[in-house]
Amino acid sequence: MEIIHVSAECYPVAKAGGLGDVVGALPKYQCQAGHVAKVVMPMYRTKFLANNEWDVDFEGNTNLGDYFFNYTIIKERTNKLGFDLYLVDIFGLLDREKVYGYDDDTERFTAFQIAVVNWMSSWEHKPDVVHCHDHHTGLIPFMMKNCFAYRNLSFVPTVFTIHNGQYQGTMDWSKSKNIPEYDSWKWGDLDWHNSINPLASAVKCAWKVTTVSQSYMNELRYNSNGLEDLFEYERGKCVGILNGIDNDVWNPETDSYLHDNFKLSTVVSGKKKNKEELCKRFGLNPDLPLIVFIGRLVGEKAAEILPDAINSVLYNMNGQVSFLILGSGDPHIEWQLSNMNGNYPGLYHAVIGYDETLSHNMYAGADFLLMPSRVEPCGLNQMYAMRYGTVPMVRSTGGLQDTVVDMGAWEGFGIRFNNATVSDVHYSVSRAVSVYQDKTHFNWMRKHMMQIDHSWESTVEQYLNIYRSLK
Ligand code: ADP
Ligand code: GLC
């Protein structure tokens, strides 16, 4: 099968979160399973662009409302990522350093999607499926189905994967002029509550909708930022497929970012060395259990409870546990967390920013990874932590619930709690401290987790079955 993935992110080209990891891995494993998977994404001005070789694949032109634009599609020359990678360049819109965060993001991603559809429509052959990811690509199923200029794509199946339903790309109806001319009777396919809603549109128009865990799929019907009724209505075409992780990238035995590599048989000494290095670097006491948080500092991740929760723990359980934080996001949370640096010598440090190398070293050197997320469609951090023998402490929601078994249950290896509150975090920290002291149990949990299979190899088939069902 020929599968075209369309996404705003793809690791290592450009990544803001887990979407990048998934789109950088799933196509590779689809190719390894004997299919032709390709990725098309915007040509941001990233290091990856500068450090690799490219050929021009296509040059076209089209328009975004009144704005006529040329676009160029380049292709990476060496199949470096294990799949064909195409970047779309649109002068003045996509030629930026960051993925998101510009005032004209709506126009940038609308133009990107139009260029992708325009390009595919020019092909002599047609792909077997177009697989779109998140709201930045959510208008594509509508355009392929309803735009006059792209009628030759209307029979190509589309799959839409929701990595995060909180963000929907909503825009005012005045922006409808930017969408290529379509059958006006179909305006309802774009609309949700009197706005154009690309996520809702994709749920209506894609042939199949997936999300990244089964529990999150169920949650969307009760809690999806206003789309609950839509998910209830469309539940027949929605399925949850748990993400995998890329075991080539996330392997403690070969991970080149790590200070010390280790494997199952050397996990205890290997993690100790990585922890000592981390603690030395950030002035932490290596004899205490080390709890880390890695992630976006936003409400979805319940990051705003971290300052109070950590203050409360370090005040009441002084000298029993230490924390290391890596994250960026809400400026107020960033300010609170970094302001705490120095308040608890040997027990606390926060690094504000995005640092891929440090994140790998934290998964390897930590004893516990805290994720109090309010919403977690899948969550990759807890799976990376498990592969690196780090015990996850997670709120029971979405993919966290589907991947972590509480240590109180049969063969349990993690710590789960129900509420994103200071008291629940506090209680889970006290459970962490006591299991850390029981070395036999603690080391059993580490080894048990490391052997759980979350590889893409075992997940890829579920996507292929969905594509097959659409033929
Ligand atoms: P989300 O996509 O919602 O942010 P995931 O758990 O799916 O959450 O994926 C987050 C990914 O981003 C992981 O690969 C994690 O290691 C990485 N990440 C998040 N914040 C940072 C950061 N500040 N520095 C380095 N990596 C980060
Ligand atoms: C989103 C979700 C996260 C998920 C990731 C990859 O960013 O917030 O839970 O793991 O996408 O699917």
Side-chain angles (χ1 to χ4, degrees):
M1 272 186 283
E2 182 181 4
I3 307 143
I4 310 300
H5 290 275
V6 193
S7 172
E9 298 178 35
C10 173
Y11 178 82
V13 192
K15 163 177 164 181
L19 169 65
D21 287 351
V22 170
V23 178
L26 172 61
K28 179 171 84 178
Y29 290 97
Q30 289 177 331
C31 288
Q32 286 177 13
H35 301 276
V36 180
K38 303 176 176 181
V39 170
V40 52
M41 66 183 292
M43 183 173 138
Y44 313 110
R45 297 315 191 245
T46 62
K47 274 197 199 135
F48 190 92
L49 175 69
N51 296 341
N52 287 280
E53 295 185 12
W54 306 87
D55 294 312
V56 172
D57 186 82
F58 188 79
E59 286 176 307
N61 51 64
T62 180
N63 55 299
L64 177 75
D66 299 336
Y67 178 64
F68 186 81
F69 67 88
N70 295 314
Y71 67 91
T72 306
I73 301 207
I74 60 171
K75 183 181 175 204
E76 194 272 321
R77 193 171 289 163
T78 62
N79 199 269
K80 189 173 191 175
L81 305 183
F83 51 82
D84 288 340
L85 170 69
Y86 297 86
L87 306 184
V88 181
D89 192 24
I90 304 176
F91 174 75
L93 285 174
L94 300 180
D95 47 354
R96 317 260 174 97
E97 277 178 27
K98 285 190 301 171
V99 178
Y100 316 112
Y102 299 99
D103 289 344
D104 58 352
D105 277 357
T106 303
E107 286 72 23
R108 294 172 67 225
F109 288 108
T110 308
F112 164 65
Q113 295 176 82
I114 295 171
V116 171
V117 175
N118 190 276
W119 173 55
M120 290 191 300
S121 148
S122 75
W123 298 1
E124 271 173 29
H125 79 288
K126 294 291 171 273
D128 293 289
V129 61
V130 175
H131 189 154
C132 301
H133 299 264
D134 270 356
H135 77 81
H136 322 95
T137 62
L139 295 173
I140 288 179
F142 175 87
M143 291 197 272
M144 288 173 60
K145 195 174 150 203
N146 296 321
C147 288
F148 297 126
Y150 306 125
R151 280 260 154 89
N152 63 348
L153 293 173
S154 62
F155 64 91
V156 177
T158 49
V159 172
F160 183 69
T161 295
I162 301 170
H163 297 261
N164 195 332
Q166 295 299 110
Y167 303 96
Q168 301 173 358
T170 307
M171 58 182 104
D172 190 78
W173 264 101
S174 60
K175 307 243 172 176
S176 67
K177 64 177 188 334
N178 289 339
I179 297 171
E181 199 182 347
Y182 56 89
D183 178 353
S184 57
W185 287 75
K186 300 290 167 54
W187 70 272
D189 279 354
L190 290 170
D191 184 76
W192 192 254
H193 291 171
N194 302 320
S195 295
I196 296 179
N197 183 319
L199 191 92
S201 171
V203 173
K204 294 179 192 182
C205 297
W207 294 29
K208 198 88 186 176
V209 175
T210 74
T211 187
V212 289
S213 71
Q214 186 55 52
S215 288
Y216 186 59
M217 186 87 262
N218 300 337
E219 283 170 21
L220 286 171
R221 287 161 56 199
Y222 306 100
N223 177 16
S224 52
N225 208 1
L227 301 187
E228 296 77 11
D229 291 345
L230 179 64
F231 284 110
E232 180 62 30
Y233 178 73
E234 297 283 9
R235 65 182 187 282
K237 71 171 177 192
C238 297
V239 297
I241 301 178
L242 192 69
N243 283 332
I245 60 172
D246 190 341
N247 280 347
D248 297 340
V249 177
W250 297 93
N251 181 350
E253 209 174 335
T254 54
D255 186 337
S256 56
Y257 288 126
L258 293 196
H259 192 263
D260 281 284
N261 289 105
F262 61 92
K263 54 187 177 189
L264 190 63
S265 59
T266 57
V267 55
V268 177
S269 59
K271 282 186 71 73
K272 187 162 182 271
K273 283 190 213 148
N274 283 294
K275 180 177 174 182
E276 281 167 359
E277 188 57 33
L278 261 188
C279 289
K280 193 162 90 192
R281 179 167 166 199
F282 296 110
L284 299 170
N285 179 349
D287 298 328
L288 300 177
L290 174 62
I291 301 178
V292 300
F293 173 94
I294 301 166
R296 295 182 290 121
L297 301 175
V298 296
E300 259 172 75
K301 305 285 178 193
E304 83 292 350
I305 68 167
L306 290 175
D308 280 354
I310 293 170
N311 278 320
S312 155
V313 167
L314 292 180
Y315 183 76
N316 292 297
M317 298 171 64
N318 195 6
Q320 294 181 51
V321 62
S322 62
F323 289 92
L324 179 60
I325 311 288
L326 169 62
S328 59
D330 182 328
H332 183 64
I333 308 176
E334 290 185 353
W335 177 82
Q336 282 181 302
L337 289 169
S338 57
N339 248 6
M340 286 162 60
N341 280 343
N343 288 0
Y344 302 99
L347 302 179
Y348 172 84
H349 191 83
V351 178
I352 302 302
Y354 189 95
D355 187 336
E356 194 74 28
T357 308
L358 177 57
S359 73
H360 284 241
N361 281 289
M362 287 171 69
Y363 292 116
D367 298 301
F368 299 90
L369 173 96
L370 176 63
M371 293 181 78
S373 310
R374 291 202 173 80
V375 183
E376 199 60 82
C378 175
L380 299 172
N381 296 17
Q382 81 281 12
M383 295 199 261
Y384 298 148
M386 282 145 68
R387 185 130 164 84
Y388 285 59
T390 296
V391 176
M393 302 165 63
V394 305
R395 188 172 97 76
S396 297
T397 187
L400 299 177
Q401 178 169 314
D402 293 358
T403 51
V404 176
V405 181
D406 188 85
M407 62 186 187
W410 173 249
E411 300 220 316
F413 51 82
I415 296 177
R416 277 179 36 179
F417 49 95
N418 288 329
N419 303 298
T421 57
V422 170
S423 52
D424 275 32
V425 171
H426 202 297
Y427 180 57
S428 69
V429 172
S430 60
R431 291 182 74 203
V433 169
S434 44
V435 72
Y436 179 79
Q437 278 147 10
D438 180 352
K439 287 289 177 245
T440 313
H441 188 189
F442 188 62
N443 289 333
W444 175 87
M445 292 198 329
R446 284 176 155 171
K447 290 190 172 170
H448 182 72
M449 286 183 301
M450 285 179 79
Q451 296 174 75
I452 296 173
D453 180 12
H454 282 299
S455 63
W456 275 111
E457 278 97 338
S458 51
T459 303
V460 150
E461 199 55 30
Q462 297 182 52
Y463 279 105
L464 296 175
N465 282 338
I466 286 182
Y467 306 154
R468 287 183 194 112
S469 74
L470 303 176
K471 285 201 152 197

